[in-house]
Amino acid sequence: MRLSRRLRNQRVDESLSPTEMSVLGTLARCGSATPGELARKEHVQPPSMTRIVAMLEGKGLVRREPHPDDRRQVVVSRTSQAEAMLAESRDRRNAWLAELAEGLTDEERAILRQAAPVLEKLAHL
């Protein structure tokens, strides 16, 4: 938890909440989605996601487009501005982690390589 919190502090845009960053990350990983789909993936209520999407849209980080099959719905996509911000944020976190990893022994690095698949599995359960 402490490492996760320290990683979150390495983000590029401090004006975004962790939830807003998480929504952008979900769009980056999963592609475009309806606000309802995003709410389910982010474990928030649909009205909350509607507000989050509106805030992200106001900042130019997402765009809403008509749903191709259901005109009552919209599809949310990230913008090129969001992609650039996410890439910069990812680069900053990777550099920070690389700097931390320099202090590890070869044995500790080997342990991390073995643990990585298990941690990845836990993250997606």
Side-chain angles (χ1 to χ4, degrees), residues 40-56:
R40 280 189 295 282
K41 289 177 182 179
E42 292 295 316
H43 305 287
V44 299
Q45 294 298 313
S48 296
M49 185 54 65
T50 299
R51 284 190 298 278
I52 292 166
V53 167
M55 290 174 65
L56 291 171

Side-chain angles (χ1 to χ4, degrees), residues 67-81:
H67 192 284
D69 301 324
D70 184 350
R71 295 309 234 186
R72 297 170 297 169
Q73 293 194 49
V74 295
V75 175
V76 180
S77 305
R78 69 189 190 285
T79 64
S80 58
Q81 180 182 343

Side-chain angles (χ1 to χ4, degrees), residues 112-122:
L112 279 177
R113 275 191 289 282
Q114 289 177 331
V118 176
L119 292 172
E120 182 73 21
K121 180 179 180 179
L122 287 174

Side-chain angles (χ1 to χ4, degrees), residues 7-123:
L7 268 172
R8 278 194 304 270
N9 289 332
Q10 299 302 312
R11 58 195 167 137
V12 172
D13 189 336
E14 293 293 324
S15 71
L16 295 179
S17 72
T19 302
E20 291 168 330
M21 284 296 291
S22 181
V23 169
L24 291 177
T26 296
L27 289 170
R29 277 187 312 283
C30 303
S32 300
T34 66
E37 291 166 339
L38 285 171
R40 280 189 295 282
K41 289 177 182 179
E42 292 295 316
H43 305 287
V44 299
Q45 294 298 313
S48 296
M49 185 54 65
T50 299
R51 284 190 298 278
I52 292 166
V53 167
M55 290 174 65
L56 291 171
E57 185 178 35
K59 294 176 182 182
L61 298 172
V62 300
R63 66 181 165 274
R64 296 184 222 206
E65 299 168 332
H67 192 284
D69 301 324
D70 184 350
R71 295 309 234 186
R72 297 170 297 169
Q73 293 194 49
V74 295
V75 175
V76 180
S77 305
R78 69 189 190 285
T79 64
S80 58
Q81 180 182 343
E83 290 173 19
M85 188 198 64
L86 287 170
E88 185 179 348
S89 184
R90 185 172 39 255
D91 290 346
R92 182 184 279 187
R93 287 191 316 268
N94 286 344
W96 181 79
L97 278 172
E99 187 177 320
L100 281 182
E102 288 176 8
L104 298 177
T105 66
D106 290 341
E107 181 181 340
E108 289 169 328
R109 285 189 184 116
I111 291 168
L112 279 177
R113 275 191 289 282
Q114 289 177 331
V118 176
L119 292 172
E120 182 73 21
K121 180 179 180 179
L122 287 174

